[in-house]
Amino acid sequence: MSDDSRAALTAQLQAYQARWPAEHEAVANFLALLSHPDAFVRARLESHFTASAWLVSGDGARAALMHHAKLRRWLQPGGHADGDEALPAVALKEAQEETGLTDLAVDESAIFDLDRHWIPERGEVPGHWHFDVRYVVRALGSEAFVGNEESLALAWRPIAEVAADPDPSLSRMARKWLASAAT
């Protein structure tokens, strides 16, 4: 990891902690992973960084979710960094690839959410942790999806509805979005 990339991500994590002080332990875990030189490659089997998009409609009232083909769950678009240390760019690329939407913009200045989640063993890949850094991505043009093999379905869901989703990761992001819209 370059010193510039390390400094930028460290600053973003510190700013995130200032906004969400109750998530101190999560931030500490992400900063600890950042100290590993191979933290951005999936070959680091214990844990590695991923990036996701909290993909919102132009009016800010809906979020784009995909029904993940492997995990069989509704999730936000996202994926492996595969060595790319620019996590906002990874979130944008994944949102474009997984939804087919092209007129998107990512807020590179701030981390929107952090989530560490367990990925079960699959084939020869052992179970491992994803340290998912999430950024706001906005749809600026067409909202017509073109899916790919990674999803069984794509849908725009009202964010107020997502706030009541039983998945704590999705509902937390929706509540953060709604709280930021209220201020």
Side-chain angles (χ1 to χ4, degrees):
M1 175 178 248
S2 73
D3 289 342
D4 289 344
S5 295
R6 179 185 308 264
L9 188 52
T10 298
Q12 283 189 346
L13 288 164
Q14 290 169 339
Y16 179 84
Q17 182 170 331
R19 282 191 322 278
W20 305 104
E23 296 186 42
H24 169 77
E25 186 176 337
V27 172
N29 288 332
F30 278 70
L31 287 168
L33 178 59
L34 192 56
S35 70
H36 295 277
D38 57 352
F40 291 84
V41 294
R42 68 173 91 192
R44 185 177 193 283
L45 295 177
E46 178 184 336
S47 59
H48 46 263
F49 282 109
T50 59
S52 291
W54 175 246
L55 179 51
V56 295
S57 58
D59 63 6
R62 293 166 288 125
L65 299 178
M66 60 182 280
H67 195 241
H68 198 281
K70 290 180 184 176
L71 298 176
R72 307 284 182 181
R73 296 174 45 206
W74 284 95
L75 301 170
Q76 73 286 348
H80 288 95
D82 288 329
D84 189 344
E85 299 167 359
L87 294 181
V90 173
L92 179 62
K93 175 183 70 90
E94 292 292 334
Q96 292 168 331
E97 288 176 359
E98 293 178 355
T99 67
L101 299 175
T102 57
D103 196 6
L104 302 177
V106 63
D107 180 355
E108 297 186 27
S109 66
I111 294 170
F112 177 66
D113 187 58
L114 297 174
D115 192 72
R116 184 180 81 134
H117 51 269
W118 181 252
I119 301 299
E121 177 181 346
R122 188 163 189 78
E124 295 184 17
V125 178
H128 58 279
W129 290 102
H130 278 180
F131 281 66
D132 198 33
V133 181
R134 297 157 172 191
Y135 294 88
V136 171
V137 176
R138 294 179 188 269
L140 302 176
S142 171
E143 295 179 4
F145 294 124
V146 179
N148 67 17
E149 70 283 350
E150 293 184 54
S151 64
L152 300 173
L154 294 161
W156 287 104
R157 289 184 51 204
I159 294 173
E161 176 186 302
V162 178
D165 195 282
D167 181 323
S169 172
L170 287 178
S171 61
R172 181 182 64 245
M173 287 188 291
R175 287 190 310 273
K176 284 181 177 178
W177 181 259
L178 294 171
S180 70
T183 57

